[in-house]
């Protein structure tokens, strides 16, 4: 049965229909009865229409289900993949397969479909077209590159042949064109109908088409062409690389520079250009000194500094004669280069070291916090931890740490052996034990948590603690072979028993845990969703595609 779902506007028009309401004090009994009957029918009609409107709104407002977290595990030499419910969604694959797999954002080309990963020696039968391909690539721009009997062609996702397998070599489509060769000697470009739009006259290519331009090679030199085959530059470069902002970086005779989308050189080749344009500027080097030019090739920052110049919020830290200072994007010196070190914390707070003591300056170079601490460390934009080192020990683990605000007001006196960053409203802290020795690497003592006002929220009773993540913090009791890990919430309540050898922080509702030398995964209820029986486990997130190791 086909269910026709009306639009919201059509239902609204139905509701707007007016119903007559016979109402008269002089009406007869029959008229009164008819009035009541009409009222009942009208109310039923309204209820039915509202129910239909509600169902229609749900239908039109459906949202895609969020992609699941995928977790890869290893047992001996075999790899498996689970989803975040603990369901195994792959068969075992060896390490060679793991190196060959494809990472993508489309679930049909990711871990959800392992049959998409094939090898040159493994025949694959397409379902809709009886063509046996010996190899197939990824689904890119609605086309799949395939190899049939040693020749390359293209199919759609269903396996139907779109462009015959007649090429000795072929690349994936990009910007509507693909580079192909009939003999592996000269290359040209075809469109998605298989029509040759750029003749076979290039030795090779350096980049796919992007923004309607491609980098190609001819007679052992590199040049730039557009989608019509027009050569925008002479073929005189040793290399050309595309930059994110529409420029192209070239190298010729050991020197580098930039060309624009029209092929025009915008920088003089007497400089060695570094990196790409950022906020309209690019670093250049001459005689081992750094400066910056703009998109016209004009020198904006003098070529005299010893370090790569990286601007943030319009300010850059520069080194000159082994001292540090600040400049703006016009090259104006905001401070003289007089500091031993400078570290930018936030938009208007910069830690500077002068005469081996640390203080804080703003973007204009004005001193905000006097130079009286051995070390100042960023905790958040508004809170810094400050260290006072023990005598004869010039390193952070030897001292005591406190908290100050961004204006230098003391929040907590230096009483802790260490203070972490502000994580979900709390900072982990440790108080040194009496047998502490400044020369040891790890700080023996008890760990707990304070808030940004210095108030103790979770007692200092653990042998180690990690920062909060998704409302939980990993904590440890015991040492050596007796140590056990679990999780607490922000009130200090143990929410997952301290029974594991090692744990990782929660990420997207999943934490990796180790017990007796084996790895698995749990959810925030403490339930095991992946059996703790694997040699190795890492998290492959759909959201950020991170690949985390368990250490």
């Amino acid at each position: 049965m086909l269910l026709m779902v009306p639009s919201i506007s059509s239902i609204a028009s139905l509701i707007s229909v007016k119903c007559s309401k016979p109402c008269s004090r002089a009406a007869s009994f029959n008229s009164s009865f008819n009035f009541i009957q009409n009222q009942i029918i009208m109310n039923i009609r309204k209820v039915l229409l509202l129910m239909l409107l509600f169902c229609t709104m749900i239908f039109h407002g459906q949202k895609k289900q969020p992609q699941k977290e995928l977790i890869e595990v290893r047992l001996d030499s075999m790899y498996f993949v689970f989803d975040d419910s603990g369901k195994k969604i792959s068969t075992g694959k060896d390490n060679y397969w793991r190196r060959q797999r494809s990472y993508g954002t489309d679930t049909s080309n990711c871990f959800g479909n392992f049959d998409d990963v094939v090898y040159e020696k493994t025949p694959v039968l397409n379902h809709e077209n009886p063509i046996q391909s010996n190899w197939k690539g990824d689904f890119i721009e609605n086309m799949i590159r395939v190899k049939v009997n040693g020749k390359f062609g293209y199919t759609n996702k269903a396996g139907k042949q779109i462009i015959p397998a007649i090429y000795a070599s072929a690349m994936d489509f990009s910007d509507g064109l693909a580079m192909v060769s009939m003999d592996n000697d000269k290359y040209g470009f075809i469109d998605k109908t298989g029509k040759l739009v750029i003749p076979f006259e290039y030795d090779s290519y350096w980049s796919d088409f992007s923004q309607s331009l491609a980098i190609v090679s001819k007679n052992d030199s590199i040049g730039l062409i557009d989608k019509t085959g027009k050569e925008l530059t002479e073929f005189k470069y040793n290399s050309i690389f595309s930059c994110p902002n529409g420029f192209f970086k070239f190298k010729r005779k050991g020197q580098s520079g930039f060309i624009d989308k029209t092929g025009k050189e915008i920088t003089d080749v007497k400089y060695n250009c570094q990196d790409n344009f950022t906020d309209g500027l690019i670093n250049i080097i001459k005689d081992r000194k750094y400066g910056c030019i703009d998109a016209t090739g004009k020198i904006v920052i003098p070529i005299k500094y010893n370090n790569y110049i990286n601007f943030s919020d319009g300010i850059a830290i520069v080194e000159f004669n082994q001292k540090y200072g600040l400049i703006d994007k016009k090259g104006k010196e905001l401070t003289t280069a007089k500091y031993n070190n400078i570290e930018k914390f936030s938009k208007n707070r910069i830690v500077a070291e002068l005469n081996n003591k640390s203080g804080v300056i703003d973007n204009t170079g004005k001193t905000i916090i006097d130079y009286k601490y051995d070390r100042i460390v960023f905790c958040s934009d508004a809170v810094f931890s400050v260290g006072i080192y023990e005598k004869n020990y010039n390193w952070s683990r030897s001292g005591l740490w406190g908290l100050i605000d961004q204006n230098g007001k003391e929040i907590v006196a230096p009483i802790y052996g260490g203070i972490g960053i502000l994580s979900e409203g709390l900072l982990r802290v440790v108080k040194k034990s009496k047998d502490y020795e400044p020369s040891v690497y790890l700080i023996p003592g008890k760990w707990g948590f304070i808030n940004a006002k210095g108030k103790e929220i979770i007692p200092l009773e653990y042998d180690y603690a990690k920062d909060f993540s998704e409302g939980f913090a990993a904590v440890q009791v015991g040492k050596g072979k007796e140590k056990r890990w679990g999780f607490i919430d922000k009130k200090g309540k143990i929410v997952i028993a301290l029974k594991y050898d090692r744990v990782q922080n929660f990420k997207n509702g999943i934490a990796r845990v180790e017990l007796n030398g084996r790895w698995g995964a749990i959810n925030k209820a403490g339930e095991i969703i992946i059996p703790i029986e694997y040699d190795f486990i890492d998290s492959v997130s759909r959201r950020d595609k991170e690949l985390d190791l368990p250490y």
Side-chain angles (χ1 to χ4, degrees), residues 184-249:
N184 285 327
D185 182 29
K186 294 298 180 180
Y187 295 81
F189 289 84
I190 60 172
D191 64 18
K192 291 184 179 180
T193 68
K195 178 184 176 182
L196 184 68
V197 293
I198 297 178
F200 296 107
E201 58 183 65
Y202 298 104
D203 302 330
S204 64
Y205 86 115
W206 279 56
S207 75
D208 295 318
F209 269 96
S210 176
Q211 302 180 63
S212 300
L213 301 174
I215 304 164
V216 293
S217 170
K218 185 166 66 173
N219 300 326
D220 297 324
S221 294
I222 311 298
L224 196 64
I225 63 173
D226 66 16
K227 293 179 73 172
T228 68
K230 180 182 178 182
E231 295 178 353
L232 303 179
T233 67
E234 297 180 42
F235 281 77
K236 61 181 181 180
Y237 301 104
N238 302 116
S239 65
I240 299 177
F241 296 97
S242 176
C243 301
N245 49 18
F247 292 99
F248 294 83
K249 182 179 179 180

Side-chain angles (χ1 to χ4, degrees), residues 295-314:
T296 67
K298 178 184 176 182
I299 295 176
V300 178
I301 310 297
I303 310 171
K304 67 176 186 178
Y305 297 107
N306 301 112
N307 65 310
Y308 180 90
I309 301 169
N310 183 30
F311 283 92
S312 175
D313 298 318

Side-chain angles (χ1 to χ4, degrees), residues 21-22 33 48 88 102 134 166 180 213 248 389 425 449 454 472:
K21 299 180 181 180
F33 177 82
L48 290 174
K88 187 184 290 186
S102 171
N134 304 110
I166 60 175
V180 296
L213 301 174
F248 294 83
Y389 295 162
F449 292 84
F472 287 5

Side-chain angles (χ1 to χ4, degrees), residues 262-526:
T262 67
K264 178 184 176 182
E265 291 186 6
I266 61 173
T267 58
D268 198 319
V269 293
K270 66 183 179 181
Y271 305 120
N272 186 6
C273 297
Q274 299 293 305
D275 203 34
N276 301 320
F277 277 97
T278 304
D279 295 330
L281 297 177
I282 189 168
N283 275 255
I284 55 174
I285 303 176
K286 186 177 182 182
D287 300 327
R288 297 184 179 182
K289 298 292 184 182
Y290 287 81
C292 288
I293 57 175
D294 62 18
T296 67
K298 178 184 176 182
I299 295 176
V300 178
I301 310 297
I303 310 171
K304 67 176 186 178
Y305 297 107
N306 301 112
N307 65 310
Y308 180 90
I309 301 169
N310 183 30
F311 283 92
S312 175
D313 298 318
I315 304 297
I317 299 169
V318 291
E319 180 187 355
F320 183 71
N321 292 335
Q322 298 183 335
K323 296 290 184 180
Y324 294 88
L326 299 176
I327 62 172
D328 65 17
K329 292 181 68 175
K330 295 181 179 180
K332 179 183 177 181
E333 293 186 349
L334 304 177
T335 69
T336 57
K338 63 180 181 180
Y339 299 102
N340 303 113
N341 191 32
I342 293 180
E343 183 180 358
K344 197 172 190 301
F345 268 16
S346 58
K347 191 170 184 178
N348 197 34
R349 290 295 182 267
I350 300 165
V351 171
E353 183 181 314
L354 190 63
N355 300 323
N356 295 321
K357 291 293 183 180
S358 293
V360 175
I361 59 177
D362 64 15
N363 283 348
T364 68
K366 178 184 176 181
T367 299
I368 304 299
I369 299 173
D370 289 334
Y371 305 93
K372 60 182 180 180
Y373 299 105
D374 290 311
R375 182 84 185 277
I376 301 178
V377 177
F378 176 86
C379 294
S380 74
D381 287 343
V383 180
F384 307 149
S385 60
V386 291
I388 305 295
Y389 295 162
E390 290 185 21
K391 190 176 181 180
N392 300 324
Y393 289 97
N394 188 28
W395 71 316
S396 61
R397 298 181 193 279
S398 71
L400 292 175
W401 292 80
L403 279 183
I404 60 172
D405 67 17
Q406 62 177 344
N407 296 315
K409 181 181 178 181
E410 186 177 273
I411 299 172
V412 177
I415 59 173
Y416 295 109
I419 299 178
I421 64 170
L422 186 67
S423 175
E424 298 186 4
L426 296 175
L427 305 99
R428 58 180 175 140
V429 294
V430 58
K431 273 197 174 180
K432 298 176 183 178
S433 60
K434 294 181 179 180
D435 58 351
Y436 167 73
E437 290 291 337
S439 60
V440 302
Y441 180 72
L442 293 176
I443 301 173
K446 293 297 182 180
W447 294 73
F449 292 84
I450 62 174
N451 63 18
K453 295 181 179 180
K455 181 181 178 181
E456 184 180 293
I457 303 299
I458 298 174
L460 281 66
E461 59 187 16
Y462 297 102
D463 292 301
Y464 194 69
K466 297 184 180 183
D467 292 320
F468 271 90
S469 176
E470 298 185 6
F472 287 5
V475 292
Q476 171 199 324
V477 294
K479 298 178 181 179
K481 295 181 179 180
E482 302 299 322
K483 70 179 181 182
R484 289 292 178 266
W485 284 88
F487 291 88
I488 61 173
D489 63 17
K490 291 184 179 180
K491 294 181 180 179
K493 179 183 177 182
I494 295 175
V495 289
I496 295 176
L498 283 73
K499 60 181 180 181
Y500 297 106
D501 298 334
R502 283 189 291 179
V503 300
Q504 296 295 307
N505 284 340
F506 274 95
K507 181 179 178 182
N508 298 328
I510 298 170
R512 291 162 285 166
V513 296
E514 183 195 27
L515 188 62
N516 299 324
R518 297 288 180 177
W519 286 88
I522 61 174
N523 61 22
K524 296 182 78 171

Side-chain angles (χ1 to χ4, degrees), residues 115-116 118 122-137 144-149 153-163 165:
D115 292 334
D116 280 352
V118 294
T122 305
V124 176
L125 182 64
N126 295 320
H127 297 292
E128 295 187 8
N129 195 15
I131 296 175
Q132 283 199 336
S133 62
N134 304 110
W135 178 91
K136 68 175 182 176
I144 298 176
R145 185 165 46 113
V146 298
K147 189 174 186 180
V148 181
N149 299 325
Y154 299 86
T155 71
N156 61 17
K157 195 170 186 179
K160 182 180 178 181
Q161 179 178 281
I162 304 299
I163 299 174

